[in-house]
Amino acid sequence: MMKLSMQAMAGITLWIAQLSPDAIAKERIPFQGANAYLNPGYSEQIDKSLAIETDASLYAKMESLKQVPTTIWLESLESIVGNKTRMSLEDHLVEAARQQEALATDGKIKPMTVQVAIYNLPDRDCSALASNGKLKADEGGLEIYKREFIDVIADHFADPRFANLRIVAIIEPDSLPNMVTNLSMAPCQKVNQDKTYESGIQYALQTLSQLPNMYLYLDIAHSGWLGWDTNLGPAVTYYSQFLSEVAGDRFPLIDGFISNVSGYTPVEEEFLPDSRFAINYQQIRSADFYEWNLIFDERDFASELKKEFVKAGFPESTQFLIDTSRNGWGGPNRPLKNEGPYATPNEHVDALRIDKRPHRGSWCNADGAGIGARPQVLPYGEDDAVTAFIWGKPPGESDGTSDSSQTGPDYEGKQFDPMCSPTYVTGAGNPTGAMDDAPSAGTWFPRQFKMLIENAYPPIEVK
């Protein structure tokens, strides 16, 4: 079992006297009965778009999104300490505690959730280039990750000043899924051989799980990645084995999983409810867009995952979150009713699918995308696999640069990936569907932000 620093452990011993009655017993679902932290840093990014927006209606919609909780990305050592233009983790937590106190009613402090993405593994994103980080396993990156990243984050969360905050942590997006499907790629082979991702995530989970105000959700890709039977079964086996080894008698250690982080896959393909629906004896899952994948959307993905994880020994209480920040797909190209059937599976799927990307593997700055459902707890009730919608990727932040001249890592370790080029065509003949003139990953992209608002579904309503 990993141990917190002496400072963190000293902080924990002071907690019980400071915890509010609502915070003493850990809620199964952190979002229930809680307010949510509004990130001032995201508001400042929105201000960049407000400064150049002339349409009054769009301006009002942009302004309204300052009231939507988004996730703080801890993706480097620098993201913890902050700088002149970026809040430190401590600043965020202090501000969250201030917001929490300001919302107190009759002197009673209500719990508040603070969402963070832990995203700094050595050699991260082994199958892509746009969001590579600076830590390298061959240069001692794993020890740096443990001691200077995870330990420091844990010390901040263990500070008694923040005892009443509920920390909702997304653990290392785009890491373990690569260990299920992308081992044909040399960088992924290397991190798999060295157990870099497993070792880092093991340490993160064992360290952070000791804190009573932590809620841990492990990234599990999306339906267009792990939805095939040939991927979903092995993924559940892999995750189950990994977590059982990490947790021991504390299995499953995590509170649940999150899908579609920074993704574009719809929660529901409402006009394609049955992937086995046949046209001239051909099931629509045979269409080029779905490539025989049985699972078309994230709600069905969560449902299938829960069934399989419960079979593998996970409790029925295991939660599934969906990042809905950019999977709305509204706008003029959204189908409005279930017409058809059309003549062929391809025609039927292309006419009725909400997801208008050229391919489900298109992940970078998808042109035509829109903001999805706003954060919500239990959107389908207590009995559904989906526990909550949250915004993982703050809408308006780029997925990666479209500048093909950026062939070497920048100061953050990021560089050009062909999937971010609007002119690139994959070996399978699929265009990327990426937007042009995109800045580096994580940088504010005003044109994308405007597009996401214009195509939001449900539409953004300003009261």
Side-chain angles (χ1 to χ4, degrees):
M1 184 65 63
M2 306 302 173
K3 295 183 179 180
L4 294 173
S5 70
M6 292 181 64
Q7 175 185 347
M9 292 303 297
I12 291 175
T13 61
L14 298 176
W15 274 22
I16 298 301
Q18 299 189 34
L19 290 172
S20 71
D22 289 339
I24 291 174
K26 181 176 177 179
E27 290 285 343
R28 184 178 79 84
I29 301 174
F31 313 100
Q32 285 188 314
N35 292 315
Y37 172 58
L38 300 178
N39 180 359
Y42 185 58
S43 293
E44 291 176 2
Q45 298 281 44
I46 292 176
D47 285 339
K48 296 177 182 178
S49 288
L50 292 174
I52 59 176
E53 184 53 59
T54 58
D55 183 286
S57 176
L58 280 174
Y59 188 100
K61 291 177 180 179
M62 291 177 180
E63 184 73 37
S64 73
L65 294 189
K66 292 182 178 181
Q67 301 304 311
V68 181
T70 54
T71 299
I72 304 161
W73 283 69
L74 302 174
E75 83 292 346
S76 64
L77 302 182
E78 292 80 7
S79 67
I80 301 175
V81 298
N83 53 38
K84 292 181 179 179
T85 61
R86 178 173 185 166
M87 295 172 66
S88 68
L89 176 56
E90 182 179 17
D91 288 340
H92 277 296
L93 296 174
V94 168
E95 172 62 16
R98 187 201 66 76
Q99 290 183 18
Q100 183 180 39
E101 185 174 350
L103 293 170
T105 304
D106 297 327
K108 184 177 181 181
I109 298 291
K110 189 175 182 179
M112 173 167 282
T113 57
V114 179
Q115 296 168 196
V116 297
I118 309 294
Y119 181 59
N120 194 31
L121 281 172
D123 304 321
R124 75 175 184 220
D125 286 358
C126 61
S127 63
L129 299 171
S131 292
N132 291 165
K134 293 197 293 186
L135 296 185
K136 307 298 179 185
D138 289 344
E139 300 172 2
L142 192 55
E143 274 305 299
I144 295 173
Y145 177 83
K146 293 177 180 179
R147 307 306 173 195
E148 299 181 32
F149 187 67
I150 295 299
D151 282 358
V152 175
I153 289 172
D155 282 351
H156 278 81
F157 292 156
D159 191 312
R161 292 176 294 168
F162 314 128
N164 282 321
L165 299 175
R166 296 177 181 175
I167 310 299
V168 177
I170 299 170
I171 304 299
E172 294 296 350
D174 289 345
S175 54
L176 295 184
N178 278 306
M179 300 297 92
V180 178
T181 65
N182 289 331
L183 296 183
S184 63
M185 305 180 73
C188 294
Q189 290 175 0
K190 180 67 164 57
V191 295
N192 179 59
Q193 177 183 337
D194 296 343
K195 302 299 180 185
T196 303
Y197 291 177
E198 287 92 336
S199 297
I201 292 174
Q202 175 186 16
Y203 189 86
L205 293 179
Q206 290 183 331
T207 301
L208 296 173
S209 66
Q210 296 180 63
L211 300 172
N213 62 338
M214 291 296 306
Y215 295 79
L216 302 172
Y217 297 89
L218 193 54
D219 174 75
I220 197 159
H222 55 82
S223 58
W225 185 345
L226 297 181
W228 285 274
D229 289 347
T230 51
N231 289 346
L232 192 144
V236 170
T237 299
Y238 173 83
Y239 275 78
S240 300
Q241 181 176 347
F242 169 70
L243 286 168
S244 66
E245 293 173 357
V246 171
D249 59 6
R250 297 176 70 202
F251 180 82
L253 196 65
I254 63 173
D255 294 275
F257 300 89
I258 180 167
S259 75
N260 202 47
V261 176
S262 301
Y264 296 93
T265 309
V267 172
E268 292 187 88
E269 281 287 358
E270 57 185 291
F271 303 125
L272 298 169
D274 182 4
S275 61
R276 290 187 172 91
F277 177 74
I279 297 174
N280 294 328
Y281 305 103
Q282 292 180 288
Q283 294 182 0
I284 60 173
R285 66 184 176 124
S286 69
D288 293 344
F289 188 70
Y290 291 115
E291 300 175 317
W292 291 95
N293 190 331
L294 271 170
I295 303 177
F296 288 3
D297 57 48
E298 294 307 281
R299 186 182 181 189
D300 286 344
F301 186 48
S303 178
E304 289 302 312
L305 282 173
K306 183 164 185 176
K307 290 177 186 176
E308 295 305 313
F309 274 116
V310 170
K311 288 180 184 177
F314 282 70
E316 285 281 354
S317 60
T318 302
Q319 302 168 44
F320 290 85
L321 312 181
I322 299 173
D323 181 357
T324 60
S325 59
R326 304 183 303 175
N327 67 352
W329 293 102
N333 294 323
R334 183 184 177 92
L336 300 178
K337 57 182 178 180
N338 193 353
E339 297 178 333
Y342 290 80
T344 67
N346 274 337
E347 290 179 30
H348 188 82
V349 163
D350 288 344
L352 296 180
R353 60 183 167 97
I354 293 168
D355 186 343
K356 294 302 182 183
R357 289 175 294 173
H359 187 265
R360 293 184 90 191
S362 298
W363 53 264
C364 192
N365 300 320
D367 202 359
I371 285 173
R374 269 46 103 203
Q376 183 180 355
V377 65
L378 298 175
Y380 303 108
E382 290 275 1
D383 297 330
D384 198 88
V386 178
T387 305
F389 299 150
I390 72 166
W391 281 10
K393 177 77 167 182
E397 290 188 1
S398 174
D399 295 316
T401 181
S402 58
D403 181 1
S404 60
S405 68
Q406 191 179 319
T407 55
D410 65 8
Y411 70 99
E412 292 184 325
K414 302 167 184 176
Q415 58 186 301
F416 170 73
D417 188 294
M419 289 300 293
C420 296
S421 168
T423 60
Y424 179 72
V425 177
T426 69
N430 300 307
T432 65
M435 299 179 70
D436 201 1
D437 301 320
S440 185
T443 304
W444 191 248
F445 190 2
R447 188 161 66 86
Q448 184 198 55
F449 183 58
K450 183 174 182 177
M451 177 195 71
L452 291 171
I453 290 176
E454 291 174 330
N455 293 337
Y457 195 89
I460 297 171
E461 296 181 355
V462 180
K463 297 180 179 179

